[in-house]
């Protein structure tokens, strides 16, 4: 069976391959993969998106937004925090979460922008 999306002959550009392999070997690809793995969960991407829309939200607000218990929301928020995607602060009996920095916000916003553009090409 022939596939149009596969090279029909083997042709390797050694310079490009070696250059890119060298750059990749100096990157922590596993940590980046963990970020995407964390965001690949539907509930966590909803939480991350909610946090990209608001500067901070308390755990109760997050639970209400995603339709979960506070325990479930807290579990997901803790995972995002442990991966360096979110941070929290405690104020009395409330815990407020926010995205760790603007890079995380941009990553979430770009992903949703890309998704919307994909729908217009269908």
């Amino acid at each position: 069976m022939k596939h149009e999306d596969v090279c029909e002959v083997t042709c390797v550009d050694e310079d490009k391959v070696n250059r890119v392999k060298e750059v990749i070997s100096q990157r922590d690809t596993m940590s980046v993969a963990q970020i995407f793995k964390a965001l690949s969960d539907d509930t966590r991407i909803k939480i991350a998106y909610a946090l990209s829309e608001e500067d901070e939200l308390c755990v109760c607000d997050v639970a209400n937004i995603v339709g979960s218990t506070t325990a479930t929301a807290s579990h997901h928020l803790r995972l995002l925090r442990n991966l360096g995607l979110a941070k929290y602060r405690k104020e009395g009996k409330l815990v407020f979460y926010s995205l760790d920095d603007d890079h995380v916000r941009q990553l979430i916003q770009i992903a949703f922008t890309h998704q919307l553009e994909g729908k217009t090409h269908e």
Side-chain angles (χ1 to χ4, degrees), residues 92-109:
K93 295 183 178 189
L94 299 176
V95 176
F96 292 89
Y97 274 85
S98 60
L99 293 179
D100 188 60
D101 61 28
D102 202 48
H103 293 114
V104 179
R105 178 173 276 101
Q106 289 173 14
L107 182 64
I108 303 303
Q109 295 291 342

Side-chain angles (χ1 to χ4, degrees), residues 54-120:
E54 291 292 330
D55 287 337
E56 67 177 10
L57 293 166
C58 82
V59 176
C60 301
D61 291 337
V62 170
N64 200 284
I65 289 166
V66 301
S68 73
T69 64
T70 55
T72 298
S74 182
H75 167 78
H76 287 297
L77 286 160
R78 195 174 306 112
L79 194 146
L80 292 172
R81 186 186 81 224
N82 290 341
L83 288 170
L85 299 175
K87 59 187 176 186
Y88 78 100
R89 70 177 181 86
K90 190 162 180 145
E91 189 176 297
K93 295 183 178 189
L94 299 176
V95 176
F96 292 89
Y97 274 85
S98 60
L99 293 179
D100 188 60
D101 61 28
D102 202 48
H103 293 114
V104 179
R105 178 173 276 101
Q106 289 173 14
L107 182 64
I108 303 303
Q109 295 291 342
I110 288 168
F112 276 92
T113 299
H114 176 74
Q115 181 268 331
L116 286 174
E117 288 172 355
K119 285 192 177 248
T120 60

